[in-house]
Amino acid sequence: MLFRSDVGLACLPTRAGEFRAAVAKCLTYADALEVKKINCLAGRPVSGQEAAATETLIANLRYAAEKFAEIGAAVLLEPVNPTDVPGFLINRLQQAMDIVRLVDRPNVQLQFDLYHMAQIEPSLDKAI
C-alpha cells in the first residue's frame, strides 16, 4: 500500500510484490476507463542502493509494459526534480531517456513534464 510520503515504488526491490499488485489493479481501471497512458513513478531508493533500484525499475517497467500492452496502453517514465522530491531515483532527462532505451519496449515512453523539466534542465528549449 502506498503511503502519503511514497512517490512511487517501481524501483524498490523489497516492494516488487506490491508493484505487481498495483499494476494488476491499475490495469483493471485503465481497461474499464480506456486509459491509454499510465505514469509509472520510480520512487525513492534507499541511499546507496541506486544501482539495485535501477535494475528493479527496469525489470518492473518491462513487466508493466507487457501487462499494459494487452490493452494497448503506454507506460510512462517521468523524471521528477530533486527540489520538490528529494531522493527520487529518476531526476534527470538523460537518465530517464537512458532507462527507456534499456527497457526496450515499444510502449514504454518518456513523460516530459514541463514543470519538472524547467527545474532540471539548464535550457528547456534544448531539452524539448
Side-chain angles (χ1 to χ4, degrees), residues 41-86:
L41 292 171
R44 292 181 181 145
V46 173
S47 182
Q49 296 183 6
E50 289 80 9
T54 299
E55 289 177 21
T56 299
L57 176 62
I58 290 168
N60 280 338
L61 285 170
R62 286 177 178 156
Y63 175 81
E66 178 183 314
K67 295 299 180 184
F68 286 105
E70 295 171 6
I71 64 166
V75 177
L76 307 178
L77 180 63
E78 178 182 13
V80 175
N81 80 74
T83 302
D84 288 342
V85 186

Side-chain angles (χ1 to χ4, degrees), residues 92-111:
R92 296 182 324 278
L93 175 58
Q94 187 62 53
Q95 177 190 29
M97 291 171 33
D98 291 345
I99 295 291
V100 168
R101 281 189 199 101
L102 287 169
V103 171
D104 193 29
R105 298 296 185 273
N107 64 326
V108 174
Q109 303 167 356
L110 173 72
Q111 179 164 319

Side-chain angles (χ1 to χ4, degrees), residues 8-51:
L9 51 87
C11 78
L12 305 175
T14 61
R15 297 179 68 184
E18 286 177 76
F19 178 81
R20 287 180 179 230
V23 167
K25 184 177 244 182
C26 184
L27 184 61
T28 299
Y29 290 124
D31 189 30
L33 297 170
E34 299 180 6
V35 171
K36 296 301 175 192
K37 295 184 185 228
I38 289 81
N39 186 345
C40 184
L41 292 171
R44 292 181 181 145
V46 173
S47 182
Q49 296 183 6
E50 289 80 9

